[in-house]
Amino acid sequence: MFAIFKKELRSYFINAIGYVFVGVFLVVSAILCCYTTLGQQSYSTDNYFTFMIFAFIILIPLLTMKLFAEEKKLRTEQLLLTAPISVWQMVLGKFFAAFALFFGATAVSCINFFPLYAYARAERAAESYSTIHIGPVTAEIFSCLIGILLIGAAFISIGMFVSSLTENQLAAAVITVAIIAAMLILEIVNQYITVYAIRFVIDWVCVMSRFDNFTNGVLDFAAILYYLSITGVFLLLTVRVYDKRRWG
């Protein structure tokens, strides 16, 4: 699995997709931070993280569209299927490579919050009775980071599954964009549904509604389990696709 992981991680920076992803991720995160938290002179970061999740509609397919589609296009898929590794090792190696790049870009984007902390400390120093408490701000940022990492992992697993179904990278990207967009827009659509039973079901499966607690600095373990379940289900579906191809 580690060999697959290294190969995939290296490939991101051979064909420039890795540089494009990291560059776009950091630019988008900086712009959103300037126009939300810093632009509104607020210590609340919930709008920033919410908009970042919607940016995943474009960002995540950049990571996942090549994972399996490229193997089919280059006719190297059979080398993977006949390699002395299990399908699970192959799938997890590719998944962790994509997630490692996503995690790295997210970690680097945290520099956006340095001005926020600097301003908060300066304001506290200037006012003896300042009501600013850095602890809650840190808790909110930390919980939101955990939330978007989990959501990113879920979306990466979805993109991997789509990529395993086609050899056309553009098609894989477009389908992944459509699926992620549909999952995120559910909450907006749900506001216009009057039937309580339907609203309840949509709210239960909605990705964004489960993120609300993270924006309040609370680690919602039910939401964590939900995001991990989505990740596990689509990884399993990808494994089943390649199990069928290996033995079919």
Side-chain angles (χ1 to χ4, degrees), residues 54-214:
F54 276 92
F56 290 171
I57 294 174
I58 302 299
L59 292 172
I60 296 300
L62 285 176
L63 274 182
T64 61
M65 64 182 184
K66 64 174 281 294
L67 287 174
F68 289 105
E70 187 179 48
E71 300 284 359
K72 295 179 184 178
K73 184 177 179 179
L74 298 177
R75 300 294 186 264
T76 57
E77 185 182 51
Q78 290 302 318
L79 295 177
L80 282 176
L81 294 176
T82 55
I85 57 172
S86 68
V87 176
W88 267 111
Q89 288 176 314
M90 176 185 72
V91 171
L92 288 178
K94 287 177 174 287
F95 170 79
F96 284 124
F99 183 76
L101 187 57
F102 171 75
F103 180 88
T106 302
V108 174
S109 71
C110 289
I111 62 176
N112 294 324
F113 302 120
F114 287 175
L116 182 68
Y117 278 100
Y119 181 74
R121 290 185 181 277
E123 192 165 307
R124 287 196 66 181
E127 300 181 20
S128 301
Y129 300 99
S130 174
T131 58
I132 298 172
H133 299 288
I134 298 178
V137 175
T138 304
E140 180 183 323
I141 293 174
F142 176 77
S143 62
C144 285
L145 285 172
I146 295 297
I148 67 169
L149 287 174
L150 290 168
I151 292 174
F155 288 167
I156 288 171
S157 68
I158 292 172
M160 282 187 62
F161 172 66
V162 174
S163 182
S164 71
L165 300 176
T166 178
E167 66 177 28
N168 190 315
Q169 294 187 42
L170 180 60
V174 171
I175 295 172
T176 304
V177 165
I179 293 174
I180 294 176
M183 293 179 71
L184 294 179
I185 293 173
L186 271 178
E187 185 176 16
I188 299 174
V189 174
N190 202 28
Q191 298 175 3
Y192 300 96
I193 296 177
T194 57
V195 181
Y196 174 77
I198 298 177
R199 285 174 60 91
F200 177 81
V201 172
I202 292 178
D203 189 61
W204 192 85
V205 301
C206 184
V207 171
M208 291 305 299
S209 65
R210 292 178 177 270
F211 186 69
D212 291 342
N213 284 334
F214 291 96

Side-chain angles (χ1 to χ4, degrees), residues 25-35 38 48 52 109 112:
F25 192 104
L26 295 180
V27 169
V28 169
S29 65
I31 292 173
L32 290 177
C33 191
C34 287
Y35 280 94
L38 300 180
Y48 164 77
M52 275 304 299
S109 71
N112 294 324

